[in-house]
Amino acid sequence: MWRASKEKALGQKEVRPVEDHIYFINHILPTQFQVELVLMDNQVIGIIAFNKSEISQLYIHVDYQGIGIGETLLNKAKENSNGKLRLYTFEVNHVAQRFYEKHGFKVIARGHENEENLPDIHYEWVSQ
C-alpha cells in the first residue's frame, strides 16, 4: 500500500527494493516515531508515523483517498504534537500539497535532499 501510494504520487517506481521498506517499517521507523495503521478487511489502507514535532510518513491506499482517513490520522498527530509539526512532501505531489495547506501547513523551505533526488517542500504547522 505504502509503495503503491508513493509511486502514484511521484509518477515513478520506488528506488529501493521492497525488503528494504519492510525492514525500515519494522525496525527503524518505530524507534523514532509512533506508527499508526488503518485497517479495513485485514488490509492496511493507511499509515502515519509521527512524533511530537514531525510527521515522517502519511500514506493512504490509492482506493481510499479523499474520504477522511488522512485527515483523521493528521489530526491524531496534531493532538499528540508539541504544538508544532514539520514534514516534507515532494514538489510533484500536488495532491499532498493541497491536503497539507488545507490543514494549516505553511511552506518553510524548498530543496531536494532525498534519496529520490526530487525537489521537495518542507512544511510546518503551528497550533493556533
Side-chain angles (χ1 to χ4, degrees), residues 5 19 24 30 60-61 78 84 96 100 107 109 121:
S5 296
E19 296 80 17
F24 175 74
I60 307 302
H61 188 289
K78 286 179 174 181
K84 186 185 290 187
Y100 292 124
V107 175
I121 301 171

Side-chain angles (χ1 to χ4, degrees), residues 93-124:
N93 192 348
H94 300 289
V95 173
Q97 291 171 49
R98 284 191 300 274
F99 174 79
Y100 292 124
E101 290 171 12
K102 175 184 171 184
H103 293 284
F105 284 80
K106 306 290 184 207
V107 175
I108 58 170
R110 293 178 182 268
H112 63 273
E113 294 181 24
N114 54 65
E115 65 184 17
E116 292 83 359
N117 200 28
L118 293 172
D120 60 22
I121 301 171
H122 196 184
Y123 278 102
E124 181 179 69

Side-chain angles (χ1 to χ4, degrees), residues 6-119:
K6 184 176 178 185
E7 288 174 359
K8 180 180 178 190
L10 300 184
Q12 71 181 39
K13 289 289 184 190
E14 183 56 55
V15 297
R16 291 192 176 265
V18 70
E19 296 80 17
D20 287 2
H21 282 152
I22 291 169
Y23 184 84
F24 175 74
I25 288 174
N26 289 323
H27 300 286
I28 296 173
L29 202 59
T31 65
Q32 299 174 20
F33 300 97
Q34 179 175 333
V35 179
E36 301 277 334
L37 302 175
V38 177
L39 302 171
M40 183 177 286
D41 298 326
N42 293 320
Q43 178 184 356
V44 176
I45 62 167
I47 183 173
I48 188 169
F50 63 94
N51 60 29
K52 296 280 184 196
S53 61
E54 179 183 2
I55 296 174
S56 171
Q57 309 291 321
L58 175 55
Y59 288 96
I60 307 302
H61 188 289
V62 295
D63 294 338
Y64 296 92
Q65 294 177 1
I67 61 171
I69 297 167
E71 182 175 19
T72 299
L73 292 173
L74 184 60
N75 287 338
K76 182 165 190 160
K78 286 179 174 181
E79 290 166 9
N80 289 281
S81 75
N82 62 12
K84 186 185 290 187
L85 286 171
R86 289 187 173 185
L87 60 85
Y88 288 90
T89 193
F90 293 100
E91 198 172 271
V92 298
N93 192 348
H94 300 289
V95 173
Q97 291 171 49
R98 284 191 300 274
F99 174 79
Y100 292 124
E101 290 171 12
K102 175 184 171 184
H103 293 284
F105 284 80
K106 306 290 184 207
V107 175
I108 58 170
R110 293 178 182 268
H112 63 273
E113 294 181 24
N114 54 65
E115 65 184 17
E116 292 83 359
N117 200 28
L118 293 172

